[in-house]
Amino acid sequence: VSIINAESSFNQSALSSTNDISIVQINPSVWTPEYFKKVTGENLNLKKLKTDEAYAIARMCLILSYYKKNYPNDKKWFARYHSGNQRHKNKYALKIEKGLSKIYALSHN
C-alpha cells in the first residue's frame, strides 16, 4: 500500500516522466514483456497493466518477490522497485518506511 501511494497516489491512469504506467508505475522500457517473463515466469500484458488495477498490483508483487528472493542481504530490497541506484534507493526507502509508519499508526488507533 505504501509503495502504491508513493508511486501513483492510487491513480491507475498515472504516467510518470519516465513513462512508468498504472497504479504501480511499472516502466515498460525496463520491464519489457520478455524480460518480465524471464525474471518472474509470468506474462506481462501492457494493455491490461494500464486498465486492470488488480492485475497491475499482482505484477508489482511478482517484481517485489523477485527482488526479495534475489537480494537476500539487502535490508531495503523493496526500494529496488524504484531504483537500483543507491542514493535514489535510500531516499525511496525512507518514503516507503514513513508510509508504513502511518499505516501502522492508523491500524493501532
Side-chain angles (χ1 to χ4, degrees):
V1 171
S2 184
I3 289 173
I4 294 170
N5 186 48
E7 290 292 336
S8 69
S9 299
F10 300 94
N11 178 0
Q12 175 63 9
S13 301
L15 178 64
S16 75
S17 60
T18 56
N19 294 320
D20 300 350
I21 57 175
S22 87
I23 193 169
V24 297
Q25 293 292 277
I26 292 174
N27 187 319
S29 297
V30 174
W31 290 97
T32 64
E34 298 78 20
Y35 181 67
F36 192 89
K37 177 83 170 181
K38 178 182 174 188
V39 168
T40 69
E42 299 286 334
N43 292 321
L44 180 65
N45 180 319
L46 296 178
K47 183 176 180 181
K48 194 170 181 180
L49 185 66
K50 292 179 189 178
T51 59
D52 185 334
E53 291 176 354
Y55 179 83
I57 292 167
R59 293 312 182 248
M60 175 189 78
C61 290
L62 288 169
I63 293 169
L64 288 169
S65 293
Y66 164 77
Y67 287 135
K68 185 173 184 178
K69 178 182 174 187
N70 288 283
Y71 298 94
N73 297 324
D74 185 352
K75 293 181 187 208
K76 297 184 190 275
W77 59 267
F78 58 89
R80 289 177 179 273
Y81 188 81
H82 179 71
S83 178
N85 175 292
Q86 195 64 39
R87 188 186 63 169
H88 295 301
K89 189 179 128 205
N90 287 338
K91 186 176 177 183
Y92 184 76
L94 287 173
K95 189 175 188 177
I96 298 307
E97 289 166 346
K98 281 183 183 179
L100 289 171
S101 293
K102 288 179 183 177
I103 292 166
Y104 179 83
L106 289 171
S107 69
H108 287 82
N109 282 334

